[in-house]
Amino acid sequence: MICYSIVILAKPFRRVSMQSSSSIENGMAVNLSKTKIMKFRRGGRLARADCFTYNGEEVEIVNAYKYLGITIQTSLSFSKHITSVLCKANPAVNSIEKPYLLSIQTSINFFKIKISPIATYNISVIWPFLTAANMCSLDLIKSTYLKKVLSLHKSSRNRLVLALCGE
């Protein structure tokens, strides 16, 4: 049986130890290689005393964790998530061969079908927490694609590109 869950622990977070009696009773086992711990903080290093064990084995404490497609960071910023979205969207932009041969409307439809879902996956969940810099990074995906469609140089103004495409 597979069970996914998130456990939130409040202060104080120093040494926490858990036993597996309830999971054994229910026929479930904990996979410690996939189990990670995150301590949410405003920055800085973990205290030396921060330790989490399960049945005597130490569980790894991580600074970022991908859960349901969203990269969560200890500082509750989503800069790593935005970076991963950009890394996925750029190959999708480059996969459309000779976009300059297509009409602008067809190119925009390709963007909406192929690239936009990658860039906006689960965006409604993290939208309230995005910074202006995060939104500008996401906006670069569309302007980069449209520059390829219009055969413009990479340093062309984004406003000009969007105006030319009627966006």
Side-chain angles (χ1 to χ4, degrees):
M1 181 180 282
I2 299 173
C3 179
Y4 295 100
S5 64
I6 296 177
V7 178
I8 299 173
L9 299 174
K11 294 186 211 177
F13 182 92
R14 290 295 176 243
R15 293 200 174 273
V16 179
S17 180
M18 292 182 66
Q19 299 298 319
S20 65
S21 61
S22 63
S23 63
I24 290 174
E25 290 171 7
N26 296 325
M28 292 185 278
V30 175
N31 186 347
L32 287 176
S33 66
K34 293 182 180 180
T35 303
K36 308 292 181 208
I37 301 294
M38 285 184 68
K39 180 182 180 184
F40 294 95
R41 56 192 189 277
R42 289 192 179 101
R45 295 180 181 220
L46 290 169
R48 287 187 180 160
D50 289 344
C51 181
F52 190 93
T53 60
Y54 184 83
N55 282 348
E57 292 186 53
E58 192 168 329
V59 180
E60 181 184 4
I61 299 174
V62 295
N63 291 326
Y65 186 76
K66 188 167 236 171
Y67 185 73
L68 298 176
I70 298 175
T71 305
I72 304 168
Q73 293 175 253
T74 57
S75 61
L76 288 178
S77 71
F78 291 95
S79 56
K80 287 187 180 181
H81 176 73
I82 298 299
T83 303
S84 71
V85 165
L86 292 174
C87 289
K88 291 176 187 174
N90 283 334
V93 167
N94 295 326
S95 70
I96 300 172
E97 295 182 24
K98 301 179 183 178
Y100 51 85
L101 296 177
L102 302 171
S103 70
I104 292 175
Q105 190 57 46
T106 304
S107 298
I108 290 172
N109 288 338
F110 266 141
F111 180 85
K112 289 177 181 177
I113 293 168
K114 190 168 186 174
I115 301 161
S116 184
I118 295 169
T120 59
Y121 177 75
N122 259 342
I123 199 80
S124 62
V125 175
I126 64 169
W127 190 260
F129 308 105
L130 294 179
T131 63
N134 294 148
M135 291 184 209
C136 287
S137 297
L138 287 172
D139 194 39
L140 281 176
I141 298 168
K142 187 170 192 175
S143 57
T144 302
Y145 174 71
L146 292 175
K147 286 175 188 178
K148 286 185 176 234
V149 169
L150 297 172
S151 298
L152 295 174
H153 193 267
K154 289 188 262 184
S155 64
S156 301
R157 299 271 181 197
N158 293 344
R159 269 195 203 161
L160 172 68
V161 172
L162 294 172
L164 288 172
C165 293
E167 290 289 306

